[in-house]
């Protein structure tokens, strides 16, 4: 990690290419409960330039303008830094994006999704940079938002796993969530995530293990991909000089079998993109078997199998799912140093349930008011 004079965390300065000045891109946001929608925005932003700087707001700023964040600012800084398209992270970025901020970090323009971000008094936080022509827009990822994930965790149903399980409670939630008097919110409202092969290709590195690289296999749910996962994968990645980390993701039904309740919160397709976006992961096995078999180890030519300090639940027949790598002498337990789990995140949400419900309603109402004002202005211009 390099800390520059601006207090930023990230990579070295961007290389100049063939006499052309590197294009520096700015993104900012809360990046609370980082998910594949955030990652996709940062991927698109990085593709617009050569070097991506991401400003992350403080807990205090988020509480003032939106309501309480789920994760602390330190957790959010580290989560953003773990996304492979991010070159540098700026802590304590101002909530309103100004030309002064862009100039301070030598950025040519800033990029945001095609939704809106409003201040506590309902103003567009990108107004100044838009007027100066230093604003670019990328496509928002349909089917996910922090608001929706919080809503899922507040439910006591596993209805988000498949359409066959659309219980009445979830139907009522999906029909009402993201709606306020006056209509449905196009940004915060619930929509279904539709996985495509193109999206996986965009997120995947496409690189196969090279001679001299150590192939390391890890497996799990990786649900609500969070700082505990990042800490674990970072430790695994640092075990050897040239790692090639393969993450096996279990099917939803498998996760539900050993986790129970309404887990996983995110389905297999969503979890796949979240893990692929991590800079410490080279490849993902979509729907990996729960037991790490000889066939799997031989197929991927695995040199080392790692698991965290969390409990290893026996397979359905009572056997140890890591029996094969243990017999081969290639099993290693890795202490991430983090005690954060998906369970603890859900507990945080439930503990502050009323606050989060109020936050979501307030955010929704503010966005709809802004949308209605914009429509009125459009109608007035047409007259």
């Amino acid at each position: 990690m390099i800390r520059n004079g601006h207090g930023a965390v990230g990579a070295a300065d961007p290389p100049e290419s063939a006499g052309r000045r590197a294009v520096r891109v700015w993104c900012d946001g809360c990046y609370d409960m980082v998910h594949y929608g955030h990652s996709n925005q940062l991927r698109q932003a990085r593709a617009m330039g050569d070097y991506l700087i991401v400003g992350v707001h403080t807990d205090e700023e988020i509480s003032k303008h939106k309501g309480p964040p789920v994760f602390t600012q330190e957790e959010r800084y580290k989560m953003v830094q773990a996304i492979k398209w991010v070159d540098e992270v700026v802590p304590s970025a101002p909530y309103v994006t100004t030309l002064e901020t862009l100039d301070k970090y030598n950025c040519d323009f800033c990029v945001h999704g095609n939704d809106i971000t409003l201040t506590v008094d309902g103003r567009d936080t990108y107004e100044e940079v838009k007027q100066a022509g230093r604003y670019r827009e990328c496509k928002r990822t349909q089917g996910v938002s922090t608001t929706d994930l919080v809503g899922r965790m507040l439910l006591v149903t596993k209805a988000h796993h498949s359409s066959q399980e659309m219980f009445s409670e979830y139907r009522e939630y999906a029909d009402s969530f993201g709606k306020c008097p006056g209509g449905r919110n196009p940004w915060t409202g619930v929509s279904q995530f539709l996985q495509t092969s193109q999206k996986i290709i965009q997120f995947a590195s496409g690189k196969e293990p090279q001679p001299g690289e150590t192939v390391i296999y890890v497996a799990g749910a990786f649900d609500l991909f969070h700082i505990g996962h990042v800490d674990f994968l970072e430790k695994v990645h640092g075990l050897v000089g040239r790692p090639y980390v393969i993450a096996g993701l279990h099917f939803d039904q498998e996760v539900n079998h050993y986790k129970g309740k309404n887990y996983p919160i995110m389905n297999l397709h969503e979890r796949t993109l979240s893990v692929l976006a991590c800079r410490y992961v080279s490849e993902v096995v979509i729907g990996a078997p729960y037991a790490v078999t000889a066939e799997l180890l031989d197929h991927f030519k695995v040199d080392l199998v790692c698991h965290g300090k969390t409990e290893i639940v026996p397979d359905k027949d009572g056997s140890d799912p890591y029996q094969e790598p243990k017999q081969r002498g290639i099993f290693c337990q890795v202490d991430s140093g983090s005690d954060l789990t998906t369970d603890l995140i859900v507990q945080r949400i439930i503990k502050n349930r009323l606050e989060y419900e109020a936050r979501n309603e307030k955010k929704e109402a503010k966005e709809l008011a802004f949308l209605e004002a914009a429509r009125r202005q459009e109608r007035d211009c047409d007259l």
Side-chain angles (χ1 to χ4, degrees):
M1 290 285 180
I2 291 174
R3 292 183 179 272
N4 65 27
H6 300 308
V9 181
D13 288 333
E16 305 297 326
S17 55
R20 179 180 68 83
R21 190 182 70 82
V23 176
R24 292 167 67 90
V25 181
W26 173 270
C27 282
D28 57 29
C30 305
Y31 299 102
D32 194 21
M33 285 185 61
V34 170
H35 49 68
Y36 60 92
H38 294 124
S39 301
N40 195 34
Q41 183 232 347
L42 296 173
R43 179 191 65 80
Q44 292 176 84
R46 181 64 172 75
M48 295 182 193
D50 304 299
Y51 191 79
L52 177 62
I53 302 175
V54 182
V56 184
H57 311 317
T58 62
D59 296 345
E60 187 182 359
E61 280 283 271
I62 297 170
S63 296
K64 176 184 170 186
H65 293 281
K66 285 179 78 171
V70 178
F71 288 109
T72 68
Q73 58 201 40
E74 295 302 325
E75 289 170 334
R76 292 183 290 106
Y77 300 153
K78 192 161 188 179
M79 280 300 297
V80 174
Q81 186 57 57
I83 295 171
K84 63 186 177 186
W85 298 287
V86 176
D87 295 299
E88 192 176 310
V89 170
V90 174
S92 309
Y95 199 80
V96 176
T97 311
T98 62
L99 294 172
E100 182 186 354
T101 299
L102 295 189
D103 291 342
K104 181 178 178 181
Y105 296 99
N106 302 315
C107 289
D108 298 84
F109 53 85
C110 76
V111 177
H112 189 64
N114 56 346
D115 54 352
I116 57 166
T117 308
L118 302 173
T119 62
V120 67
D121 53 2
R123 279 178 48 244
D124 182 351
T125 59
Y126 294 97
E127 192 177 329
E128 184 179 316
V129 290
K130 282 178 179 176
Q131 289 173 352
R134 290 172 69 181
Y135 175 84
R136 305 284 186 277
E137 209 161 75
C138 63
K139 195 175 179 185
R140 182 184 178 276
T141 308
Q142 291 297 312
V144 68
S145 69
T146 301
T147 312
D148 179 35
L149 291 178
V150 168
R152 292 187 200 182
M153 284 183 277
L154 292 176
L155 291 174
V156 202
T157 169
K158 54 187 177 188
H160 54 276
H161 293 174
S162 73
S163 56
Q164 284 75 33
E165 294 170 320
M166 277 292 275
F167 300 133
S168 59
E169 186 185 358
Y170 189 77
R171 243 194 326 265
E172 188 181 334
Y173 154 77
D175 288 344
S176 63
F177 202 70
K179 290 183 184 178
C180 274
R184 187 180 191 279
N185 188 328
W187 303 300
T188 304
V190 175
S191 61
Q192 189 182 359
F193 170 63
L194 301 173
Q195 180 70 284
T196 62
S197 58
Q198 181 61 28
K199 187 61 65 193
I200 293 175
I201 290 165
Q202 288 170 341
F203 272 57
S205 68
K207 294 175 184 172
E208 294 189 351
Q210 299 302 304
E213 288 185 331
T214 302
V215 177
I216 306 175
Y217 181 76
V218 299
F222 293 100
D223 194 16
L224 289 177
F225 195 72
H226 54 70
I227 200 71
H229 298 132
V230 167
D231 285 338
F232 168 68
L233 291 167
E234 186 180 15
K235 286 277 177 69
V236 167
H237 190 270
L239 288 175
V240 294
R242 295 182 60 200
Y244 185 92
V245 179
I246 301 175
L249 269 63
H250 301 142
F251 282 114
D252 296 343
Q253 295 87 337
E254 196 74 67
V255 176
N256 191 250
H257 170 72
Y258 64 78
K259 288 280 288 179
K261 299 178 187 172
N262 69 324
Y263 293 111
I265 303 294
M266 299 181 93
N267 67 39
L268 179 59
H269 296 312
E270 296 176 309
R271 292 183 283 120
T272 296
L273 292 185
S274 295
V275 177
L276 278 174
C278 180
R279 66 172 69 247
Y280 306 117
V281 174
S282 305
E283 180 63 289
V284 166
V285 180
I286 304 169
Y290 185 64
V292 182
T293 61
E295 289 81 5
L296 184 145
L297 296 175
D298 294 340
H299 178 82
F300 292 107
K301 298 179 172 61
V302 176
D303 300 301
L304 187 64
V305 175
C306 295
H307 188 273
K309 291 291 185 182
T310 53
E311 179 194 4
I312 296 174
V313 179
D315 205 348
K316 292 184 182 77
D317 61 1
S319 64
D320 180 354
Y322 290 95
Q323 185 178 325
E324 181 65 27
K326 283 177 180 176
Q327 284 177 349
R328 295 189 184 196
I330 60 169
F331 179 78
C332 173
Q333 267 204 309
V334 175
D335 187 354
S336 69
S338 171
D339 61 357
L340 188 65
T341 62
T342 305
D343 280 321
L344 286 174
I345 295 168
V346 173
Q347 283 170 31
R348 284 187 194 184
I349 296 287
I350 291 170
K351 182 183 170 191
N352 298 302
R353 175 171 186 153
L354 294 176
E355 273 189 274
Y356 288 120
E357 285 180 337
R359 181 186 82 164
N360 290 352
E361 286 172 16
K362 183 178 164 188
K363 179 176 183 283
E364 182 78 12
K366 199 163 61 174
E367 288 174 349
L368 281 167
F370 182 89
L371 191 63
E372 185 52 40
R375 283 176 182 153
R376 274 202 307 271
Q377 193 174 12
E378 228 173 78
R379 285 196 297 269
D380 292 344
C381 289
D382 291 341
L383 292 175

